[in-house]
């Protein structure tokens, strides 16, 4: 994408042209002219393992840990720091697109952002505050139904809870009430509208295909306007509409421009800013109306993930093209405050934006979302199975919950406060939200609850939370029940029924499985939903014993402190003893585990025997008292003295029974870490072997290269492995020494020499770990340079960073310097550019005083003219436009 080279940084006030608040021509105060609203629906489904409250590694998202991380890298962060480039590809502006987009970000995604990238999370909140300031108190952000369930298919209570949770989550983040709400898949019917109005939602956004007819609102001079049939998407999307409900109330509705929105998602209209703006311009009505709004809506992930780099198109349009055309960027709430609806609309009975058959995509084999000849006959049985489970859980919740809560359903509606407190406390200090939980229970309890009753009360609330999560729309959206989305909602269902069993002893799993058996899959490996449940859901369930086994095996490789957090459990190490005998390692311990969510706890005894290599033998049992525990330890360590693996395993079986755990029972992240540790010794030996082969045959390799002959594969592989290993070792050494006052120049020189050697031998190095390590090292060095400048070493520090970038390029690591650019760009405009202005001012004063300095000269920092020039040249290296600053220097 190419942008005009002579454009300077776009000021934030570009959106408020003619902004004299006393002027009737100010489009921010009076409805006049053309307004543009681009809405992004940003959403990711909940992906956390419901038993661990953490997303596990998703190999399909490689090289990232999971799909949230991957999409964040491509979309959420890039929209918070969207580039505007000149013709040389240099950054002339970093735009926070969220300041100009109308947007909703699903609560499950916002929770993840808050935990994973607090900087981007804060940029989003800041963007809403700035849009409030710019648009008369109307922020860009709107709320979303909590976990993206299809509201027309929900029962009445679930409708209200989803809306209330969505509002409460929004309020806890943006510190204001939402004016609008995004409906999952824009799915709507009149009972849903009534629920929204009852919860003070002022407007929603729908597709033009969801309107049935419209007309001007009757008024005295025109008491009976003619209805216009618009069921074929003919409704005019440039104005807001009022939808009157059977109960006499109303809600306002914006219909986005369907053709343009569709082009944004499914064509290349965003590949070029001129193309995009011209496409929007075609929607402007030339009927001389006082004002009109061009509104489009699409998945927010379009901007950077589905359509790479299109966030740059938005940034340029917002800050350059729209102001040039005198178009005012606004949001729906602001436009509505200036332009109350003069037309009313009647909606079709039940519709959604992504299904041509009402909402059948989430309950029937309607054909939407299908492909490859696969059917979706599983959708109806899946919906029926979860509806049955929901209704069974309602009975349990009402019957048992009434013993604990004055009003169980009010308690559920306000449980979002505990969910948010738990998320916030975990993000701040990693501690559970105990005080908030106690306050919540005090407010809702039927009587003073005992400790066990409190645990059951929280179990019931978690049961209801998972009964809502199991309706996340993605589970039905695609073509197959065994996809990750279908498996995920069944995981929520499994956890909900397990919690019900923990509280009441009721067994619901068989009833669910029987109904899932009626859901035919398209995959032979699991022909029905029941097989999907048994093979893909049940193995993911986690008990206290599994958490203890995870802790026990990991303790052989990790020095645990007396209190640790293991996923969503507090682990209190009450006793621990480890002893080695030859190739055998034996550990025995006493452990208390406490769930951070329900506060239930379990005190357990574990024994783990490592027989060497990949062989582990672990057993768990309840703690039966100090005397029994002491006898277990004494017998096991006495047996270990015999140095017989067989005897120890027999002793463990007598004391703990037959249930055992091994490396395969560890949670995936830790299992992979231990697997790497266990293979490291072998890999080290192999690396040494390959290095020896490479050294012994270096002359032979050079001879083949000199005579341009094909290098024998065995020698080429040895060279590539040896040099890759040397690079990684050197990068690790650079990381370790980066915090020293003396720059590790010798290691950098060694890395440069290795890169040159690899280039001469035409080696393709395999060092994916080196890329993030070098990127982090460059960022850290740049931060140190910009914020803790040492004038005496400035030139050397800059040269060091430039060498790091060069060696990364030489190693063909395709370094991502985005965060370095963002860091430098901020410092450029907050410090370097003002200092350049001071420098030129000081120079002018000295010249005017015939070369004599005096008290009028502005005070300078440690950055003198030469230092500033060097810093600006570093900016050129980082592809940041510094030409304006360089031109200031004498």
């Amino acid at each position: 994408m190419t942008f005009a080279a002579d454009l300077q940084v776009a000021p934030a006030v570009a959106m408020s042209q003619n902004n004299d608040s006393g002027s009737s021509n100010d489009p921010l105060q009076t409805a006049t002219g053309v307004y543009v609203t681009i809405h992004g629906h940003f959403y990711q489904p909940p992906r956390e393992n419901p038993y661990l409250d953490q997303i596990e590694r998703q190999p399909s998202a490689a090289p990232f840990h999971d799909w949230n991380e991957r999409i964040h890298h491509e979309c959420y962060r890039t929209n918070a720091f969207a580039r505007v480039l000149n013709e040389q590809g240099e950054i002339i502006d970093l735009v926070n697109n969220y300041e100009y987009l109308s947007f909703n970000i699903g609560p499950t995604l916002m929770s993840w952002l808050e935990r994973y990238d607090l900087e981007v999370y804060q940029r989003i909140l800041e963007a809403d505050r700035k849009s409030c300031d710019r648009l008369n108190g109307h922020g860009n952000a709107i709320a979303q139904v909590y976990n993206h369930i299809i509201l027309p298919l929900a029962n009445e209570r679930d409708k209200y809870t989803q809306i209330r949770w969505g509002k409460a989550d929004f309020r806890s983040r943006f510190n204001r009430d939402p004016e609008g709400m995004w409906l999952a898949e824009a799915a709507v019917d009149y009972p849903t509208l009534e629920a929204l109005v009852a919860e003070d939602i002022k407007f929603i956004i729908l597709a033009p295909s969801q309107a049935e007819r419209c007309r001007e609102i009757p008024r005295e001079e025109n008491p009976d306007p003619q209805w216009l049939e618009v069921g074929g998407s003919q409704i005019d999307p440039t104005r807001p509409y009022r939808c009157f409900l059977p109960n006499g109330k109303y809600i306002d509705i914006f219909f986005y421009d369907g053709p343009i929105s569709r082009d944004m998602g499914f064509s290349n209209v965003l590949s070029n800013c001129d193309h995009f703006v011209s496409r929007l311009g075609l929607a402007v009505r030339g009927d001389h109306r006082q004002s009109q709004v061009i509104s489009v809506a699409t998945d927010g992930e379009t901007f950077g993930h589905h359509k790479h780099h299109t966030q740059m198109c938005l940034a340029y349009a917002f800050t350059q093209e729209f102001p040039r055309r005198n178009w005012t960027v606004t949001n729906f709430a602001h436009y509505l405050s200036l332009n109350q609806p003069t037309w009313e609309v009647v909606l079709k009975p039940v519709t959604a934006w992504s299904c041509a058959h009402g909402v059948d995509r989430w309950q029937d084999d309607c054909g939407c979302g299908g492909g490859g000849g696969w059917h979706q006959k599983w959708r109806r049985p899946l919906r029926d199975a979860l509806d049955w489970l929901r209704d069974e859980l309602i009975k349990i919740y009402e019957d048992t919950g009434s013993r604990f809560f004055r009003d169980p359903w009010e308690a559920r509606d306000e449980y979002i406060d505990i969910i948010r407190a738990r998320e916030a406390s975990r993000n701040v200090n990693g501690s559970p939200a105990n005080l908030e939980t106690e306050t919540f229970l005090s407010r809702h309890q039927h009587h003073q609850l005992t400790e066990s009753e409190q645990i059951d009360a929280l179990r019931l609330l978690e049961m209801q939370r998972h009964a809502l999560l199991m309706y996340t729309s993605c589970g039905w959206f695609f073509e197959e029940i065994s996809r990750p989305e279908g498996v995920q909602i069944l995981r929520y269902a499994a956890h909900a029924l397990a919690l019900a069993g923990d509280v009441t002893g009721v067994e619901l799993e068989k009833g669910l499985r029987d109904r899932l058996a009626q859901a035919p899959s398209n995959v032979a490996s699991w022909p029905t939903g029941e097989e999907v449940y048994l093979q893909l859901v049940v193995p993911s369930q986690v008990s206290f014993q599994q958490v203890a086994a995870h802790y026990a095996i990991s303790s052989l490789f990790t020095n645990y402190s007396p209190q640790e957090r293991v996923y969503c459990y507090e682990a209190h190490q009450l006793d621990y003893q480890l002893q080695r005998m030859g190739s055998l390692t034996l550990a025995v311990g006493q452990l208390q585990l406490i769930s951070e969510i329900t506060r239930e706890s379990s005190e357990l005894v574990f024994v783990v025997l490592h027989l060497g290599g990949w062989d582990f033998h672990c057993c768990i049992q309840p703690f039966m008292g100090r005397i029994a525990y002491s006898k277990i330890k004494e017998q096991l360590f006495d047996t270990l003295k015999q140095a017989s693996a067989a005897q120890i395993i027999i002793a463990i079986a007598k004391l703990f029974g037959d249930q055992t755990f091994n490396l395969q029972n560890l949670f995936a992240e830790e299992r992979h870490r231990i697997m790497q540790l266990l293979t490291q010794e072998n890999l080290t030996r192999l690396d040494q072997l390959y290095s020896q082969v490479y050294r012994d045959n270096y002359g032979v390799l050079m001879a083949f290269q000199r005579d341009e002959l094909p290098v024998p594969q065995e020698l080429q592989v040895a060279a590539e492995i040896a040099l890759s290993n040397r690079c990684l070792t050197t990068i690790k050494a650079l990381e370790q020494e980066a915090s020293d006052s003396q720059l590790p120049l010798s290691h950098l020189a060694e890395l440069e020499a290795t890169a040159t050697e690899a280039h001469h031998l035409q080696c393709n190095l395999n060092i994916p770990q080196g890329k993030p390590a070098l990127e982090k090292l460059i960022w850290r060095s740049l931060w140190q340079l910009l914020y803790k400048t040492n004038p005496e070493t400035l030139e050397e520090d800059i040269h060091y960073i430039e060498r790091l970038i060069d060696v990364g390029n030489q190693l063909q690591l395709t370094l991502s310097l985005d965060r370095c650019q963002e860091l430098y760009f901020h410092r450029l405009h907050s410090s370097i550019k003002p200092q350049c202005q001071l420098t030129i001012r000081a120079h002018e004063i000295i010249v005017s005083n015939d070369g004599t300095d005096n008290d009028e000269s502005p005070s300078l920092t440690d950055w003198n003219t030469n230092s500033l020039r060097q810093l600006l040249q570093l900016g050129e290296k980082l592809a940041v436009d510094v030409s304006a600053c360089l031109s200031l220097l004498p």
Side-chain angles (χ1 to χ4, degrees), residues 240-261:
Y241 294 83
R242 184 151 290 172
C243 183
F244 292 96
L245 307 181
N247 60 13
K249 298 181 179 181
Y250 64 82
I251 189 169
D252 293 333
I253 300 176
F254 287 89
F255 296 93
Y256 60 79
D257 187 296
I260 300 178
S261 300

Side-chain angles (χ1 to χ4, degrees), residues 13-195:
V13 296
M15 293 298 95
S16 55
Q17 65 275 9
N18 304 320
N19 64 344
D20 178 6
S21 60
S23 171
S24 61
N25 293 325
D26 179 7
L28 298 183
Q29 304 295 331
T30 305
T32 179
V34 175
Y35 295 79
V36 177
T37 298
I38 300 175
H39 184 84
H41 163 51
F42 295 91
Y43 166 72
Q44 289 300 311
R47 290 190 167 99
E48 290 79 4
N49 182 321
Y51 295 88
L52 302 177
D53 196 31
Q54 187 163 317
I55 300 176
E56 297 170 290
R57 182 174 296 278
Q58 297 175 309
S60 61
F64 297 92
H65 177 273
D66 54 68
W67 278 101
N68 279 19
E69 278 193 19
R70 179 167 177 170
I71 298 170
H72 172 71
H73 174 79
E74 297 170 350
C75 174
Y76 307 131
R77 185 173 182 90
T78 59
N79 275 285
F81 297 94
R83 271 73 172 153
V84 176
L85 307 179
N86 61 21
E87 288 184 344
Q88 289 73 45
E90 296 173 322
I91 299 171
I92 63 173
D93 198 6
L94 286 177
V95 178
N96 186 347
N97 279 346
Y98 301 104
E99 287 185 34
Y100 307 111
L101 281 167
S102 167
F103 65 88
N104 68 280
I105 302 182
T108 52
L109 174 56
M110 281 294 274
S111 296
W112 182 87
L113 283 171
E114 186 179 17
R115 185 192 305 193
Y116 179 77
D117 192 337
L118 191 58
E119 182 183 22
V120 168
Y121 178 79
Q122 294 293 348
R123 291 271 289 184
I124 292 168
L125 302 186
E126 179 188 27
D128 183 70
R129 288 193 295 271
K130 287 185 176 180
S131 65
C132 280
D133 294 340
R134 182 171 60 88
L135 299 173
N136 307 333
H138 301 285
N140 285 344
I142 66 172
Q144 179 199 289
V145 291
Y146 185 74
N147 65 274
H148 214 261
I149 77 170
I150 304 301
L151 288 189
L153 296 177
N155 66 26
E156 185 177 14
R157 279 202 189 93
D158 288 358
K159 276 187 177 68
Y160 277 92
T161 298
Q162 284 283 316
I163 296 169
R164 289 166 181 168
W165 281 18
K167 284 186 60 180
D169 184 274
F170 183 95
R171 191 183 306 113
S172 72
R173 302 180 192 280
F174 294 97
N175 293 317
R176 64 180 180 87
D177 285 322
E179 297 181 77
M181 178 166 279
W182 182 266
L183 304 179
E185 304 296 337
V188 69
D189 61 1
Y190 275 88
T192 296
L193 295 180
E194 291 175 352

Side-chain angles (χ1 to χ4, degrees), residues 239-387:
R239 59 165 62 100
Y241 294 83
R242 184 151 290 172
C243 183
F244 292 96
L245 307 181
N247 60 13
K249 298 181 179 181
Y250 64 82
I251 189 169
D252 293 333
I253 300 176
F254 287 89
F255 296 93
Y256 60 79
D257 187 296
I260 300 178
S261 300
R262 190 161 46 250
D263 287 346
M264 290 170 64
F266 300 101
S267 78
N268 63 351
V269 71
L270 289 169
S271 62
N272 178 279
C273 191
D274 289 339
H275 186 191
F276 175 53
V277 175
S278 297
R279 184 70 182 86
L280 290 174
L282 294 176
V284 177
R285 305 297 171 104
D287 53 6
H288 307 295
R289 64 183 72 178
Q290 182 177 348
S291 69
Q292 57 184 299
V293 60
I294 309 304
S295 65
V296 293
T298 189
D299 287 335
E301 290 75 20
T302 300
F303 311 126
H305 172 57
H306 300 310
K307 304 283 186 180
H308 293 322
H309 308 303
T310 51
Q311 75 281 352
M312 297 166 62
C313 174
L314 286 186
Y316 192 77
F318 285 140
T319 58
Q320 302 293 335
E321 286 297 331
F322 292 165
R324 183 175 293 132
R325 292 181 178 235
N326 288 321
W327 292 354
T328 303
V329 174
T330 187
N331 60 48
F332 294 110
H334 173 251
Y335 189 78
L336 197 59
S337 71
L338 302 180
N339 201 326
Q340 288 292 302
T342 58
W343 284 65
E344 65 174 307
V345 65
V346 173
L347 300 181
K348 296 174 183 177
V350 55
T351 54
W353 76 341
S354 53
C355 180
H357 315 90
V359 292
D360 283 354
R361 186 169 188 161
W362 299 274
Q363 64 178 350
D364 275 317
D365 183 13
C366 70
C368 291
W374 282 9
H375 64 78
Q376 290 79 52
K377 296 177 181 177
W378 51 270
R379 283 177 177 164
R380 171 56 66 182
L382 176 60
R383 172 69 60 176
D384 290 343
L386 296 188
D387 283 350

Side-chain angles (χ1 to χ4, degrees), residues 836-849 851-853 857-858 860 865 888-890:
C836 288
Q837 294 167 336
L838 287 175
T839 299
I840 190 61
R841 176 63 181 148
H843 179 74
E844 290 171 348
I845 291 174
I846 292 172
V847 170
S848 67
N849 291 330
T852 304
D853 196 0
S857 299
L860 301 177
T865 302
L888 292 174
L889 296 180

Side-chain angles (χ1 to χ4, degrees), residues 375 377-383 385 480-481 513-522 526-532:
H375 64 78
K377 296 177 181 177
W378 51 270
R379 283 177 177 164
R380 171 56 66 182
L382 176 60
R383 172 69 60 176
E480 167 57 21
I481 188 174
R513 284 172 48 190
D514 289 345
R515 287 163 176 80
L516 290 175
Q518 307 304 311
S521 166
N522 292 284
W526 27 79
T528 69
E530 182 183 23
E531 288 300 318
V532 172

